[in-house]
Amino acid sequence: MSARGVLYVHSAPAALCPHVEWAVAGVVGVPVKLDWVAQPAAPGNHRAELNWQGKPGTAGAVASALNEWQRLRFEVTEEGSPGCDGVRYSYTPSLGMFTAVTSAAGEVLVPEGRLRHAMEQAAANGTDLGAEIELLTGRSWDEELEPFRYAGDGAPVRWLHAVG
């Protein structure tokens, strides 16, 4: 079975760029060379994109490998495949990691159990249910990453096929 997705490194200091390539190569089992370009939203940083194809769960493994460097901003997506939901991992230095199940259109899907828990938390703590739902949908991550996403329009994209 095969899955595919995209790694978006929205910002990485130049010194970390080779480490990102090594980390991804360690997950996918083949050498990785990304086409790094300047990130206008964060002067002195670079960005890159990589379309990948590999085993289901590759996105989670890549996100875990990159999570070790807290100065990166990145997203890793994996499309749904037979028996597996789609998923998106988003990371920012200030917010940490966000993980969500995604639809075929890339929208965040919130499982019923998490919605029920959010309703219970809002009722028990007297907090706003809307704020709880915004946490579940990753709104803060989207707001922080949006300027970096736009700055990447027109950046070169590379395809990678993992071994195994």
Side-chain angles (χ1 to χ4, degrees):
M1 189 173 347
S2 183
R4 63 183 184 173
V6 183
L7 165 63
Y8 303 94
V9 181
H10 293 299
S11 71
L16 288 182
C17 293
H19 295 280
V20 169
E21 293 173 354
W22 298 330
V24 175
V27 170
V28 299
V30 296
V32 172
K33 177 70 176 132
L34 298 175
D35 292 324
W36 296 99
V37 296
Q39 172 53 276
N45 283 262
H46 297 80
R47 68 170 324 283
E49 293 180 17
L50 176 71
N51 291 294
W52 60 267
Q53 185 171 348
K55 297 177 190 173
T58 297
V62 169
S64 291
L66 297 180
N67 190 40
E68 296 181 27
W69 294 291
Q70 291 86 31
R71 294 181 59 207
L72 298 176
R73 285 180 184 84
F74 66 87
E75 292 179 281
V76 189
T77 65
E78 182 169 315
E79 295 177 9
S81 55
C84 299
D85 291 323
V87 66
R88 181 180 85 198
Y89 298 87
S90 302
Y91 181 86
T92 72
S94 64
L95 298 171
M97 187 72 74
F98 171 77
T99 307
V101 175
T102 57
S103 71
E107 296 173 319
V108 170
L109 302 176
V110 180
E112 179 181 343
R114 292 186 74 191
L115 280 173
R116 289 187 190 283
H117 181 72
M119 291 187 307
E120 291 168 5
Q121 287 297 109
N125 299 331
T127 57
D128 179 42
L129 179 59
E132 295 288 335
I133 290 173
E134 286 183 357
L135 284 173
L136 292 175
T137 59
R139 182 174 179 171
S140 296
W141 282 264
D142 284 338
E143 288 174 351
E144 187 168 326
L145 289 172
E146 200 62 22
F148 297 92
R149 292 173 180 152
Y150 281 118
D153 286 345
V157 177
R158 179 176 294 244
W159 266 99
L160 173 75
H161 298 275
V163 298

